[in-house]
């Protein structure tokens, strides 16, 4: 969400015949915006933690700020990177890559699940179709006497990890959307989040966003 907002707010609207678009692939997602960095520098040569806040379209940026989609102080880069770094299973290869030249600005997000599996080839993770909730591959083998205990615990842990991943990647996602995607009730989602104090909602209403902080 943050990247798309920045792409719309900072694109070069003098370039005709092109537009902001999001391209989805199996191993990555690419957000493309027409135009170079406002000051003409190449972002791939810059320190991402020290990117100056320069607004190419201040009126559009101000409208997005009033709607709560972005902040006036220019903290977009941190809001993109920090939630990923805060993931308990974070690896450097999960970070997005940034590229710019005189005609374009692109951000490429790797498929974090695939990136994690590359580093853990001996661990298999399955996902329930149309739900996206990770399931233990041994679930079918634990039915019987242990089903009531072990399986419930495993599914709760998997749901917690899934929620943590979703709010980290999509800080503006609502509990209603999480419930719809997971097939769980809103009450269940809120109850699980309440048991994860490192997941915090900052702000209020639609202007707020989720933050995944380091576990204490």
């Amino acid at each position: 969400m943050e990247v798309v907002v920045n792409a719309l707010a900072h694109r070069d609207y003098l370039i005709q015949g092109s537009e902001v678009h999001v391209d989805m692939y199996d191993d990555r997602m690419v957000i493309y915006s027409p135009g170079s960095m406002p000051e003409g520098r190449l972002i791939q040569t810059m320190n991402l933690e020290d990117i100056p806040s320069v607004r190419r379209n201040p009126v559009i940026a101000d409208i997005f700020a009033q709607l709560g989609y972005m902040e006036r102080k220019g903290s977009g880069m941190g809001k993109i990177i920090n939630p990923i770094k805060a993931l308990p299973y974070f690896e450097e290869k999960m970070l997005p890559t940034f590229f710019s030249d005189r005609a374009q600005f692109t951000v490429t997000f790797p498929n974090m699940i695939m990136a994690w599996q590359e580093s853990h080839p001996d661990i298999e993770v399955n996902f329930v179709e149309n739900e996206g909730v990770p399931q233990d591959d041994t679930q079918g083998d634990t039915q019987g006497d242990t089903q009531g205990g072990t399986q419930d615990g495993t599914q709760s842990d998997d749901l917690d990890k899934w929620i943590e991943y979703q709010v980290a990647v999509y800080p503006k996602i609502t509990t209603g959307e999480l419930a719809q995607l997971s097939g769980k009730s809103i009450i269940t989602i809120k109850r699980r989040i309440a048991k994860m104090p490192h997941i915090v909602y900052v702000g209020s209403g639609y202007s707020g966003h989720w933050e995944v902080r380091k576990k204490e």
Side-chain angles (χ1 to χ4, degrees), residues 24-30 108-115 118:
M24 303 288 292
Y25 305 93
D26 290 340
D27 62 340
R28 68 195 187 280
M29 177 177 68
V30 182
T108 302
F109 288 89
N111 184 319
M112 288 194 285
I113 296 174
M114 293 181 65
E118 287 178 0

Side-chain angles (χ1 to χ4, degrees), residues 89 91 112-127 134-138 154 158 161:
Y89 46 84
E91 297 180 5
M112 288 194 285
I113 296 174
M114 293 181 65
W116 187 86
Q117 288 181 317
E118 287 178 0
S119 300
H120 306 81
D122 297 330
I123 300 177
E124 183 177 352
V125 179
N126 292 331
F127 289 82
Q135 298 291 312
D136 192 320
D137 189 45
T138 61
T154 299
D158 289 341
K161 293 177 182 178

